[in-house]
């Protein structure tokens, strides 16, 4: 079925073409969320305003077109996919208002959960929900799924911390519960709807059996079905409506803003890992801990601990635990250290009667805490990483009454064995009786689907019928539990949910088959294939955690989408389907506009670097081996050519003027498909070649200065107020600190190989890297002297491949913090400084150190939020300037009060200067300006 012509025609009038997608590549890319379902939308629209949502819903209502809303697409139960129209949040949904010193915060649905907490951190507050996906998921999804997490429990979820909500209903009507005028208008226009909600509430509360059941169900963690507790918790129809929207998964309306009552974020915390001999003892301990001052108690069965026991940093004893062992990871938090210590003593005293096999005592050390929590957080990805290619990872999410947790765990393990899910692991939020179980599942043949179906029948009977528990505790009902809502709730409650659905969405256009479905087999349909594509990415579970840090997110494809499309291309090829058109689109969207910096790997639960796949694909197209070899062998000549080009560009600027040159070069760059670089006022002038005369009989300590090729070629821009080159500034700073600066021989011929590697010429890249390392070994006298590299991407490439462990290589951040702090006196400046942490600085683990150095240098340091990678990516800023522009589209506003920005990569600084509207320089410029030699 295609969309009605009238709908398409009107949507074209409402939404610009660049925000409408109906091509096969885009619809497939957006047809994927973190679940094991796939539906391909017929039309994807990126919406940028509430007005657009209103107009589109009114249109959808008139034409009976189903609509699904999507924020981050990290949902695990198929809530954010459709085969009709998908409305995706664009850039303009990131508004926030912090109120009452952080006691409340109003947020738009596009805000990432972790960002909301970053805004609240200065006030010692946070939002209540704490899902594991908080670094990627967005407020719209958190509220729509009533997400919780490790510390949230039931008391601090969105439902219980809701202070206000703004929604657009299925008919396009807006309601803001915090705006008296909006409420008054809604009461006038929708009085009958409100009266029906009030009536349903009264009837539900007077039905004592049903009301008791609802209260019991929500004593547990529960996101199965619609939020019926709204009918028993409130009598005001507006309150009922507001709370019905929480957990409705986009089936009752669009949430365009939410106000939270925030919760304390206590600064003092400690964690312990207690291993018990068996499940019964472990679960009995949970019952005791329920009354103790704990903030989180995570259960890990023996299988889950086995899945991570060989990971670096794991306690050695984890390998030696008995077969029936079961562990609790316990965290306590407090406003003061003294109070924390009181709590820890109380907790340990309560556990004294229980037999313990092994334990890691409570620790307040942040690194030890992180190591303990890694055991819990790595379990899910550990299963994903070892699964058979072609299978998917399924994570289910149930609740048992906590007093029956032990038998519930035992019975679940018996079901794993019965259905031969030998790799299945079990862990969860023990205080709430909330268990996650993770297993791998193929859907390639009917037999595998039948096995999954039989397993789900058994699980639902066990949890919902035998134990009266929840089939979905915190991941939302979605599609995979929609057929079992009546089984869990019973006929009366189920029919009540349908009445609410039909009242608020009479034509059934909002996210059909999610939460409520008339199809008892919906959970077995539209199952997502995960075909083999490339060993680099085959372990991808399509969770979307990578997306927030990707510079091309919102421009072309994200890492998740790159993998989705490449999988589809490979599967189609194996099936003999022509992929020419798909590959043509993928070349630009997937390959050309990938920065390939690998930040995605830092967020990926299974450590996938999608940039490595892109580099591999580029290497297949690298057909100019002879040219690459010539450039590698004649690198000095190549640098001279680059300097000549910059000289020529500067001459053209002087002759034509900057505005005219920028216009001409933009046209040339576009006409040449990026082969002619685009000139901008931030374009550097040519740097002079290094000329050094060593000082005879110099007794100062030596440092080998490796000036990257970009530093040796690119000087300051003509418009830059700072006209001293990075070379001279760095050498001056090092000498100020008392160092003798030496350079490797034949420096203009040296290169780390990064320019070759990024283009897919790996052989030439490796040869240049090895040549450079040999020169550095000689210059440093076999590693006696430290080696300072002035550009962090080059440092990273050398460090990643460093086989000669004698060499001591430093990027600017690490060298300054380890070698210069004790030799210089810092007098911080008053002027605000913007800091850009490059991708390579993040990979080197120096992000926080760079920020702390900046704070030594300036009393006002600005770190623009939401910019993880500048998108310049070596030369992409010249050849694909739209990637750089897109990545830095919010920079100018963020740094408007700064006079200068700092970074550690010359090429990044070109793009940052252009799009930030301020000059960006290397870190050494700032450090040199605010320091004097320390008097001994």
């Amino acid at each position: 079925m295609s969309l009605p012509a009238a709908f398409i025609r009107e949507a074209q009038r409402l939404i610009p073409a660049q925000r409408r997608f109906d091509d096969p590549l885009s619809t497939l890319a957006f047809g994927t969320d973190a679940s094991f379902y796939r539906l391909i939308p017929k039309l994807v629209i990126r919406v940028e305003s509430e007005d657009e949502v209103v107009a589109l819903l009114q249109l959808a209502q008139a034409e009976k077109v189903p609509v699904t809303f999507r924020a981050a697409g990290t949902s695990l139960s198929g809530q954010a996919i459709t085969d009709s129209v998908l409305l995706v949040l664009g850039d303009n949904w990131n508004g926030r208002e912090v109120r009452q010193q952080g006691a409340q915060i109003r947020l738009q649905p596009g805000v990432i959960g972790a960002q909301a907490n970053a805004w609240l951190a200065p006030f010692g507050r946070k939002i209540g929900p704490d899902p594991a996906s908080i670094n990627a998921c967005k407020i719209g999804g958190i509220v729509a799924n009533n997400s919780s997490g490790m510390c949230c429990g039931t008391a601090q979820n969105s439902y219980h911390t809701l202070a206000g909500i703004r929604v657009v209903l299925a008919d396009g009507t807006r309601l803001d519960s915090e705006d008296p005028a909006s409420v008054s208008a809604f009461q006038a226009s929708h009085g009958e709807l409100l009266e029906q909600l009030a009536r349903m509430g009264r009837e539900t509360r007077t039905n004592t059996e049903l009301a008791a059941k609802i209260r019991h169900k929500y004593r547990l963690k529960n996101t199965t079905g619609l939020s019926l507790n709204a009918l028993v918790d409130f009598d005001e129809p507006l309150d009922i409506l507001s709370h019905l929207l929480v957990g409705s998964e986009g089936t009752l309306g669009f949430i365009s803003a939410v106000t939270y009552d925030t919760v304390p974020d206590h600064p003092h915390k400690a964690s312990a890992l207690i291993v018990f001999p068996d499940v019964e003892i472990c679960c009995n301990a949970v019952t005791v801990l329920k009354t103790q001052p704990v903030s989180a108690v995570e259960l890990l069965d023996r299988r889950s601990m086995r899945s991570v026991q060989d990971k670096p940093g794991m306690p050695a004893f984890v390998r030696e635990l008995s077969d029936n062992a079961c562990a609790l990871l316990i965290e306590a938090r407090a406003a003061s250290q003294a109070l924390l210590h009181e709590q820890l003593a109380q907790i340990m005293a309560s556990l004294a009667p229980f037999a313990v096999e092994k334990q890691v005592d409570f620790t307040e050390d942040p690194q030890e805490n992180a190591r303990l929590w890694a055991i819990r957080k790595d379990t899910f990805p550990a299963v994903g990483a070892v699964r058979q290619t072609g299978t998917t990872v399924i994570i289910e999410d149930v609740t048992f009454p906590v007093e029956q947790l032990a038998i519930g765990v035992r019975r679940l393990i018996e079901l794993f064995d019965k259905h031969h899910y030998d790799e299945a692991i079990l862990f969860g939020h023990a205080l709430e009786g909330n268990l996650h179980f993770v297993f791998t599942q193929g859907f390639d043949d009917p037999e595998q689907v039948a096995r999954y179906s039989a397993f789900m029948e058994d699980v639902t009977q066990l949890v919902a019928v035998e134990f009266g528990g929840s089939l979905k505790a915190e991941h939302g009902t979605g599609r995979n539990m929609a057929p079992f809502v009546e089984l869990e709730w019973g006929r009366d409650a189920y029919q009540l949910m349908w009445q609410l659905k039909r009242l608020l969405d009479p034509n059934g256009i909002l996210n059909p088959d999610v939460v409520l479905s008339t199809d008892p087999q919906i959970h077995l349909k539209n199952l997502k294939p995960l075909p083999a594509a490339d060993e680099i990415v085959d372990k991808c579970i399509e969770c979307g955690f990578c997306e927030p840090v990707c510079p091309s997110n919102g421009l072309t494809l994200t890492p998740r989408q790159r993998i989705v499309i490449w999988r589809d291309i490979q599967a189609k090829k194996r099936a003999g389907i022509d992929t020419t058109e798909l590959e043509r689109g993928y070349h630009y969207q997937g390959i050309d506009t990938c920065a390939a910096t690998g930040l995605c790997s830092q967020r990926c639960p299974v450590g996938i670097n999608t940039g490595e796949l892109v580099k591999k694909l580029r290497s297949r197209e690298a057909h100019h081996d002879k040219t690459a070899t010539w450039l590698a062998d004649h690198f000095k000549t190549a640098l001279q050519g680059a300097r000549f080009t910059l000289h020529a560009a500067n001459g053209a600027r002087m002759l034509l003027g900057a505005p005219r040159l920028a216009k001409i070069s933009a046209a040339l760059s576009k006409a040449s498909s990026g082969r002619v670089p685009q000139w901008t006022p931030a374009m550097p002038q040519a740097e002079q070649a290094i000329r050094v005369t060593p000082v005879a009989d110099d007794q100062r300590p030596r440092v080998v200065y490796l000036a990257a090729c970009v530093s040796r070629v690119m000087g300051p821009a003509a418009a830059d107020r700072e006209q001293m080159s990075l070379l001279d500034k760095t050498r001056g700073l090092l000498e100020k600190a008392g160092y003798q600066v030496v350079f490797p021989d034949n420096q203009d011929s040296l290169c780390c190989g990064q320019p070759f590697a990024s283009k897919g010429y790996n052989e030439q890249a490796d040869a240049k890297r090895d040549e450079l390392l040999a020169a550095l070994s000689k210059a440093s006298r076999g590693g006696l002297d430290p080696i300072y590299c002035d550009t962090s991407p080059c440092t990273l490439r050398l460090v990643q491949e460093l086989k000669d462990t004698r060499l001591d290589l430093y990027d600017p951040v690490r060298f300054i913090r380890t070698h210069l702090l004790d030799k210089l006196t810092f007098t911080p400046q008053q002027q605000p400084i913007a800091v850009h942490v490059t991708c390579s600085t993040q990979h080197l683990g120096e992000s926080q150190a760079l920020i702390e150095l900046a704070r030594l240098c300036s009393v006002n340091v600005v770190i623009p939020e939401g910019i993880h990678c500048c998108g310049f990516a070596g030369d992409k800023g010249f050849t694909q300037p739209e990637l750089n522009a897109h990545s830095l589209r919010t920079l100018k506003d963020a740094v408007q009060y700064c006079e200068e920005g700092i970074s550690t990569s010359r090429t990044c600084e070109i793009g940052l200067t252009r799009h930030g509207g301020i000059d960006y320089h290397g870190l050494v410029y700032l450090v040199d300006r605010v320091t004097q030699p320390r008097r001994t």
Side-chain angles (χ1 to χ4, degrees):
M1 290 285 291
S2 57
L3 296 175
F7 182 92
I8 295 172
R9 187 169 58 250
E10 188 64 12
Q12 289 172 340
R13 188 187 68 79
L14 288 168
I15 308 294
Q18 64 268 28
R19 291 198 277 114
R20 285 183 280 108
F21 309 92
D22 60 3
D23 61 285
L25 186 150
S26 298
T27 52
L28 173 59
F30 283 109
T32 295
D33 66 1
S35 74
F36 50 96
Y37 298 100
R38 168 162 299 145
L39 288 169
I40 310 300
K42 295 179 179 67
L43 177 64
V44 179
I45 297 175
R46 184 175 283 131
V47 289
E48 293 289 4
S49 72
E50 190 181 78
D51 286 348
E52 290 180 354
V53 174
V54 168
L56 288 165
L57 283 180
Q58 289 172 340
L59 176 60
Q61 195 73 256
E63 300 296 332
K64 306 291 190 292
V65 172
V67 171
T68 294
F69 311 115
R70 181 183 177 118
T74 56
S75 45
L76 292 161
S77 305
Q79 299 98 312
I81 55 174
T82 179
D83 57 2
S84 183
V85 174
L86 187 67
L87 301 188
V88 179
L89 296 182
D91 280 346
N92 296 327
W93 296 94
N94 294 313
R96 94 278 194 170
E97 180 191 349
V98 180
R99 300 174 181 169
Q100 303 165 30
Q101 293 295 297
Q104 281 191 345
I105 188 168
R106 184 154 170 104
L107 299 161
Q108 285 189 292
V111 173
I112 291 174
Q115 182 61 65
N117 285 340
W119 291 327
L120 290 166
F123 305 100
R125 310 288 293 182
K126 63 179 181 176
I127 60 171
D130 60 343
S133 56
I134 197 164
N135 288 321
C137 66
K138 296 180 178 178
I139 293 298
I142 290 174
V143 180
N145 291 292
N146 198 20
S147 307
S148 47
M150 295 184 192
C151 301
C152 171
T154 52
Q156 296 183 347
N157 62 20
S158 293
Y159 180 94
H160 286 293
T161 57
L162 186 74
I165 198 166
R166 183 178 175 92
V167 300
V168 181
L169 295 184
D171 61 2
T173 303
R174 306 176 220 228
L175 168 64
D176 188 335
S177 70
E178 296 184 289
D179 179 357
S182 173
V183 170
S184 178
F186 189 79
Q187 287 169 334
S189 65
H190 286 66
E192 186 180 340
L193 183 149
L194 291 172
E195 179 47 45
Q196 289 198 57
L197 284 175
R199 176 186 56 77
M200 293 169 76
R202 286 192 298 272
E203 291 174 357
T204 303
R205 292 190 297 276
T206 54
N207 183 337
T208 53
E209 186 180 342
L210 178 57
K213 181 168 194 170
I214 292 170
R215 290 189 179 100
H216 165 74
K217 297 291 289 180
Y218 287 103
R219 179 176 67 87
L220 309 174
K221 257 192 183 183
N222 192 345
T223 58
T224 309
L226 296 176
S227 299
L228 291 184
N229 45 343
L231 295 169
V232 297
D233 292 343
F234 303 97
D235 56 4
E236 282 293 328
L238 274 170
D239 289 331
I240 293 173
L241 179 57
S242 295
H243 288 81
L244 277 172
L245 265 294
V246 178
S248 64
E249 302 177 33
T251 65
L252 301 182
F254 173 79
I255 299 166
S256 64
V258 65
T259 302
Y260 277 111
D261 287 323
T262 63
V263 301
D265 185 15
H266 292 311
H268 298 279
K269 61 182 179 180
S271 300
L273 181 70
I274 316 288
V275 185
F276 301 90
D278 58 44
V279 168
E280 281 79 12
I281 296 173
C282 186
C283 292
N284 288 337
V286 171
T287 307
V288 170
L289 288 170
K290 186 83 174 163
T291 62
Q292 298 301 311
V294 290
S295 62
V297 177
E298 293 293 299
L299 181 145
L300 298 116
D301 76 342
R302 182 66 185 98
R303 298 182 194 211
S304 63
M305 288 186 285
R306 194 175 289 124
S307 73
V308 295
Q309 66 187 21
D310 296 321
K311 282 186 168 281
M314 291 294 150
F317 71 73
V318 175
R319 294 183 191 83
E320 298 153 13
L321 294 173
S322 61
D323 288 345
N324 295 318
C326 192
L328 295 179
L329 179 57
I330 306 168
E331 182 175 275
R333 298 186 178 200
S336 69
Q337 192 174 47
L339 183 57
L340 178 65
H341 289 170
E342 285 179 24
Q343 292 177 354
L344 300 185
Q346 187 178 331
I347 293 164
M348 291 310 294
S350 74
L351 293 175
F354 297 97
V356 170
E357 184 171 320
K358 288 280 185 181
Q359 73 181 52
V360 176
D361 292 332
F362 274 107
T363 174
E364 295 170 63
D365 179 77
Q367 286 187 318
E368 284 299 304
N369 263 310
R371 198 160 67 91
L372 288 177
W373 280 94
I375 297 174
R376 160 66 176 84
K377 291 175 180 176
D378 286 346
T379 48
F380 174 39
V383 175
V386 298
R387 77 185 193 280
Q388 187 178 342
T389 299
T391 62
T392 190
V393 183
I394 296 179
I395 178 167
E396 279 302 347
D397 164 44
V398 300
T399 305
F400 292 102
V402 72
E403 58 275 11
Q404 296 176 292
L405 185 60
I407 186 65
V409 170
R410 285 284 186 212
R411 295 288 299 280
L412 272 177
I413 291 172
E414 287 171 13
L415 288 184
F416 298 155
D417 294 336
K418 175 184 174 181
H419 293 278
H420 306 292
Y421 288 107
D422 302 324
E423 78 296 342
I425 65 171
L426 195 63
F427 55 87
H429 316 316
L431 288 180
E432 311 299 331
N434 176 197
L435 296 175
H436 299 315
F437 50 97
V438 179
F439 57 99
T440 63
Q441 173 72 51
F443 293 119
D444 295 338
D445 58 61
E447 191 177 305
Q448 294 196 63
V449 175
R451 177 172 74 131
Y452 173 71
S453 177
F455 176 62
M456 290 307 296
E457 292 290 341
D458 279 355
V459 167
T460 54
Q461 283 291 329
L462 173 72
V463 177
V465 179
E466 284 193 50
F467 285 86
S470 312
L471 294 174
K472 280 294 181 183
E474 56 183 12
H475 294 168
T477 310
R479 296 170 183 279
N480 63 331
M481 283 300 172
F484 304 104
V485 174
E486 184 173 10
L487 179 74
E488 175 175 332
W489 277 97
R491 188 177 185 280
D492 288 354
Y494 186 61
Q495 288 306 317
L496 187 55
M497 291 180 193
W498 272 112
Q499 288 176 45
L500 290 165
K501 170 69 172 171
R502 290 173 183 133
L503 175 64
L504 289 163
D505 180 21
N507 291 320
I509 66 165
L510 297 182
N511 218 4
D513 284 326
V514 168
V515 182
L516 302 175
S517 177
T518 56
D519 184 348
Q521 299 292 304
I522 195 70
H523 65 306
L524 302 176
K525 296 178 178 178
N526 304 301
L527 299 168
K528 182 200 293 181
L530 286 177
D534 189 285
E535 60 184 11
I536 295 172
V537 298
D538 281 342
K539 298 303 180 190
C540 174
I541 53 181
E542 299 184 4
C543 63
F545 286 13
C546 55
E547 294 186 335
V549 296
C550 177
S552 59
N553 183 9
L555 173 70
T556 51
L557 298 178
T558 66
R560 166 166 65 174
Q561 293 171 333
R562 285 184 168 91
I563 294 170
V564 166
I565 303 298
W566 191 244
R567 279 175 166 163
D568 190 60
I569 288 170
Q570 298 311 301
K572 281 184 165 68
K573 280 185 170 179
R574 285 193 292 270
I577 300 170
D578 183 11
T579 60
T580 305
E581 196 62 33
L582 194 56
E583 289 192 73
R584 186 178 294 121
Y586 189 74
H587 201 282
Y588 174 74
Q589 299 227 33
I591 299 174
D592 289 349
T593 52
C594 176
T597 57
L599 280 192
C600 47
S601 66
Q602 294 190 352
R603 295 291 186 95
C604 175
V606 291
I608 293 168
N609 182 345
T610 311
E612 291 301 319
L613 171 67
V614 170
K615 288 178 182 177
K616 183 175 181 178
L617 299 181
R618 287 174 184 165
S619 71
R620 293 180 185 175
E621 301 174 359
H623 302 312
H624 302 287
D625 274 289
K626 288 184 179 177
T627 304
T629 301
W630 186 92
L631 287 169
D633 291 344
H634 301 83
F635 200 70
K636 183 175 182 178
T637 305
L639 291 193
Q640 288 170 341
R643 290 189 186 103
F644 175 79
T645 302
L646 290 174
H647 273 305
N650 200 41
R653 175 191 64 82
M654 296 167 73
L655 184 66
L656 298 171
R660 188 181 298 173
L661 177 59
K663 191 174 180 181
I664 292 170
S665 83
L668 285 172
S669 183
K670 188 173 182 181
S672 68
S673 300
R675 284 187 292 274
V676 176
Q678 185 171 327
W679 186 91
T680 75
M683 184 73 80
Q685 300 173 97
E687 182 56 85
Q688 300 298 317
I690 299 172
R691 292 181 177 83
V692 182
T693 307
V695 178
D697 193 30
D698 197 325
Q699 298 302 309
R700 293 174 297 175
R702 289 163 43 107
V703 58
V704 177
Y705 179 9
L706 169 61
C709 49
V710 289
S711 312
R712 305 196 303 265
V713 170
M714 298 179 178
D720 197 329
R721 285 177 297 175
E722 177 62 77
Q723 285 297 304
M724 182 179 284
S725 71
L726 177 63
L727 281 165
D728 291 337
K729 183 63 71 175
T730 302
R731 185 161 51 178
L733 177 64
L734 294 171
E735 288 175 345
K736 182 199 290 188
Y739 281 97
Q740 173 193 355
V741 180
V742 296
F743 292 88
D745 294 338
N746 303 315
Q747 176 137 299
D748 250 5
S749 298
L750 301 176
C751 173
C752 70
Q754 183 70 27
F756 297 92
S758 65
K759 297 287 186 294
Y761 294 100
N762 297 322
E763 187 180 330
Q764 292 84 354
D766 291 348
K768 291 306 290 181
R769 182 197 62 224
D770 293 345
E771 178 190 8
L772 173 56
L773 288 172
L776 291 174
S777 180
K778 180 182 176 185
S780 66
R781 301 179 293 178
L784 282 176
D785 307 314
I787 301 163
Y788 174 99
C789 179
D790 64 10
T791 300
S792 53
C794 302
T795 318
L796 178 64
R797 175 165 167 80
L798 293 173
V799 167
Q800 284 175 328
E801 302 291 338
L802 194 59
K803 297 180 181 69
D804 187 348
T805 54
R806 296 172 303 165
L807 298 186
D808 205 5
L809 267 163
Y810 295 83
D811 75 316
V813 179
R814 182 167 165 250
F815 190 87
I816 291 168
R817 72 174 175 82
T818 56
H819 285 73
L820 300 192
L821 289 185
D822 62 339
K823 299 176 178 67
L824 299 170
T825 300
F826 286 73
T827 307
Q829 66 179 42
Q830 296 299 310
Q831 295 93 330
I833 286 289
V835 175
H836 176 71
V837 183
T838 67
C839 305
S840 45
T841 302
Q842 294 175 59
H843 283 304
L844 288 164
E846 297 291 339
S847 306
Q848 194 56 39
L850 172 58
I851 294 164
E852 286 168 8
L853 276 177
R855 287 177 176 150
L856 274 179
C857 299
S858 172
V859 297
N860 191 347
V861 172
V862 175
I863 301 137
E865 63 194 37
I867 297 174
H868 303 276
C869 168
C870 71
F872 205 92
D875 64 353
K876 287 282 178 202
F878 298 130
T879 60
Q880 237 88 45
E882 66 274 22
L883 177 62
N884 184 223
H886 177 77
S887 183
L888 299 181
R889 62 196 182 280
T890 60
L891 181 62
K892 194 164 190 175
D893 287 343
V895 302
Q896 59 183 309
Y897 301 114
C898 301
E899 293 183 6
E900 181 187 28
I902 61 162
S903 182
T904 54
S905 169
R906 183 68 190 95
T907 49
C908 295
E909 289 149 22
I910 298 169
L912 292 161
T913 298
R914 180 186 179 194
H915 297 291
I918 59 173
D919 292 331
Y920 272 78
H921 304 121
L923 170 65
V924 293
Y925 286 85
L926 177 62
V927 173
D928 183 61
R929 186 185 311 132
V930 302
T931 58
Q932 295 296 325
R934 181 167 290 186
R935 290 176 183 157
T936 54

